[in-house]
Amino acid sequence: MEPSHLLAVQAVEELLEYEPDQLFAELEIRRRAILDDPLQAGSFAPAGTHRSVVSDSLDELREFGRRFFARVSRDAHALVCGKDPENSQVRQDLFKALTSRATFAAALSAALVAYAGLAPALAAVAATLVARLFVNNAHEVMCEMWTERLQNA
């Protein structure tokens, strides 16, 4: 495995222990941390004390995170479930990574960075949310559930 892939796997393994509401809040916390310190964007697992500067309530952070995830989720959905022939190799690679939630989330993190231009710090959380909310054993079921959720978002 490449070093960057190993870093992504380590980051999402830790994030997979979070509940979805915690991940929504974490997504917004990291987004704000990047605004304050752009160097935070380059790591799948940014370090620092950025949480201490957040003044909004946890409920507000979760709501902002949900809304941001709804936008990112559309890009991720297009990569995983889309029909664009230009992304067919990415889809094949992501399906091969469905051996575990962590492996899939790490691969999706990398794809979101490379193809959607998302910062690694945000891609790790967004990909972990996708893995927590949508990954089942069958790709078709995952894409059907995800498509339904996108329509209701």
Side-chain angles (χ1 to χ4, degrees):
M1 264 189 229
E2 295 178 32
S4 62
H5 185 71
L6 287 174
L7 293 173
V9 170
Q10 290 171 341
V12 299
E13 281 178 340
E14 184 178 318
L15 290 169
L16 280 168
E17 298 194 17
Y18 289 28
E19 292 299 319
D21 277 347
Q22 292 172 298
L23 290 167
F24 288 125
E26 181 67 18
L27 188 59
E28 180 59 14
I29 289 167
R30 287 184 181 198
R31 191 190 67 79
R32 290 183 187 191
I34 290 167
L35 291 174
D36 289 340
D37 179 9
L39 294 176
Q40 296 289 325
S43 172
F44 287 106
T49 58
H50 55 274
R51 285 171 176 77
S52 65
V53 299
V54 175
S55 60
D56 287 349
S57 73
L58 196 54
D59 288 339
E60 289 174 311
L61 292 171
R62 280 192 290 258
E63 183 57 29
F64 281 116
R66 274 189 191 91
R67 290 179 185 200
F68 184 73
F69 178 71
R71 292 180 183 179
V72 172
S73 183
R74 293 183 198 293
D75 291 337
H77 181 270
L79 281 173
V80 177
C81 304
K83 304 291 185 213
D84 186 349
E86 288 184 29
N87 295 330
S88 65
Q89 185 60 52
V90 175
R91 272 191 300 286
Q92 287 176 0
D93 293 344
L94 288 169
F95 298 143
K96 288 177 189 172
L98 276 169
T99 58
S100 74
R101 280 183 171 178
T103 304
F104 175 78
L108 182 56
S109 293
L112 287 171
V113 170
Y115 294 94
L118 201 59
L122 300 176
V125 180
T128 302
L129 273 162
V130 170
R132 292 270 316 185
L133 297 173
F134 306 113
V135 172
N136 290 313
N137 291 332
H139 165 252
E140 291 78 17
V141 172
M142 177 186 71
C143 289
E144 288 170 8
M145 289 175 60
W146 195 355
T147 301
E148 289 172 15
R149 294 251 177 121
L150 280 175
Q151 292 169 352
N152 295 330

